[in-house]
Amino acid sequence: MDTILGGAEIIPECARLIQSGEVVGFPTETVYGLGADALNEEAVKKIYVAKGRPSDNPLIVHVPNVEEARKAAVVTPLAEKLFSVFSPGPITLVLPKKDCIPYTVTAGLDTVGIRIPSHPIAREFLTACKTPIAAPSANLSKRVSPTTAEAVFDDMNGRVPAIIDGGPCSVGIESTVLSLVGDPTILRPGGITEEMLRPYLPTVKLFSGKVKIAPAPGMKYKHYAPIVPCILFGSVRGAEKEYLERTKKGEKAVILSRKKNVPYWEEKGFLYMNAGETGEEFASNIFRLLRYCEKLFDVILVEKPGLGGIENSLMDRLSKSCGGKEVE
Ligand code: TXA
Ligand code: MG
């Protein structure tokens, strides 16, 4: 299969592909998605095939507005309120599903994750499709989520008929998945932080614990992993030691550093990349840098995120990328 890659001009063609049951890569403000008509089970199955994804991992349904959300899920007054504050934007609400959403999308659950993305091309695409779009991140299963169209092309060339290029994703990590079925629970921290939710949900908590059918299978599968080892470091001293040991063994190492430590690495003459100053910048750069570095280096040393806000979401992703490997 030839994969076409183009900008907003291919949206009408991509909408036709969706309506004929095909899968299309498209940008959102968080990460790129791999979309199919959520009402067409055969089309949805093609997503799992293209990704090589286990089918017990539910997909998020993307819609252009709350009116369309109401067709796919029971939008409670609380959900209505949260959509009005945080959407369009990087949040997914888990709600009771309506009958039109097949269990192939929800992996057998009676709930569905609904997201209204803010990226202008995502919105134009969703409107043109005239149907809700089921979409996971557009990476091969277990790989680092794609935040550029080139990254989607790397994983999906020949596996899907089209990819829409909307430039680099601004948020850079996936949406916050918030369950409103039962006590409000953050199943996956993301672009909207716990602190931002708290004024509306004073009792909101972060999911912890084990489940058989994963409420957010990010917890169950190895995820976000570069093809080379990736190690978190808590201090420049720890990173320096690891870098020198690796280099001595003949490995090519690189440091993903926060801006404030850049002068340190500059002075040492170590190979580094500036991952940004704020947590928001770090989030927006991290997956692109991991994908870039895995092609050039044998080991990636990543500065450990701080605490609170988006730093917690970064920590969630990076502890998975690093498979728990950490130095002082
Ligand atoms: O930012 C995002 O959310 C991106 C873009 C493309 O929208 N999508 C994304 O999809 O990250 P994916 O499939 O990689 O991650 C979806 C997460 C999974 O952890 C899944 O378990 C959870 O959302 N999820 C989806 N539906 C659910 C449901 N009904 N109940 C609980 N968790 C659900
Ligand atoms: Mg994913």
Side-chain angles (χ1 to χ4, degrees), residues 75-248:
V75 179
T76 57
L78 178 58
E80 191 91 36
K81 173 74 191 163
L82 293 172
F83 274 137
S84 77
V85 178
F86 297 107
S87 288
I91 191 162
T92 297
L93 300 184
V94 173
L95 299 165
K97 82 172 190 72
K98 289 213 170 148
D99 287 343
C100 65
I101 301 296
Y103 285 111
T104 317
V105 170
T106 66
L109 299 172
D110 288 317
T111 57
V112 61
I114 304 281
R115 175 156 129 71
I116 306 173
S118 65
H119 193 298
I121 290 187
R123 301 182 62 71
E124 198 181 325
F125 172 63
L126 292 175
T127 306
C129 289
K130 298 195 177 69
T131 185
I133 297 294
S137 50
N139 51 288
L140 285 172
S141 190
K142 307 184 181 68
R143 297 287 326 279
V144 176
S145 302
T147 53
T148 63
E150 292 74 25
V152 181
F153 194 79
D154 272 356
D155 280 18
M156 291 298 154
N157 183 21
R159 302 175 78 95
V160 300
I163 299 165
I164 310 171
D165 186 348
C169 301
S170 56
V171 176
I173 57 172
E174 299 84 348
S175 65
T176 300
V177 179
L178 174 67
S179 173
L180 295 179
V181 180
D183 295 338
T185 306
I186 298 171
L187 301 178
R188 176 179 73 183
I192 301 294
T193 65
E194 197 179 327
E195 290 86 343
M196 290 159 82
L197 292 169
R198 197 154 300 283
Y200 307 94
L201 297 171
T203 61
V204 72
K205 57 183 191 318
L206 205 70
F207 179 85
S208 61
K210 287 209 174 95
V211 265
K212 264 204 230 102
I213 174 134
M219 301 157 178
K220 192 167 145 191
Y221 300 105
K222 189 163 160 38
H223 249 72
Y224 319 109
I227 55 179
V228 299
C230 194
I231 302 170
L232 274 178
F233 67 85
S235 69
V236 287
R237 298 249 172 273
E240 188 176 339
K241 187 162 164 266
E242 189 70 26
Y243 184 99
L244 290 172
E245 276 169 17
R246 296 277 178 166
T247 313
K248 214 193 266 166

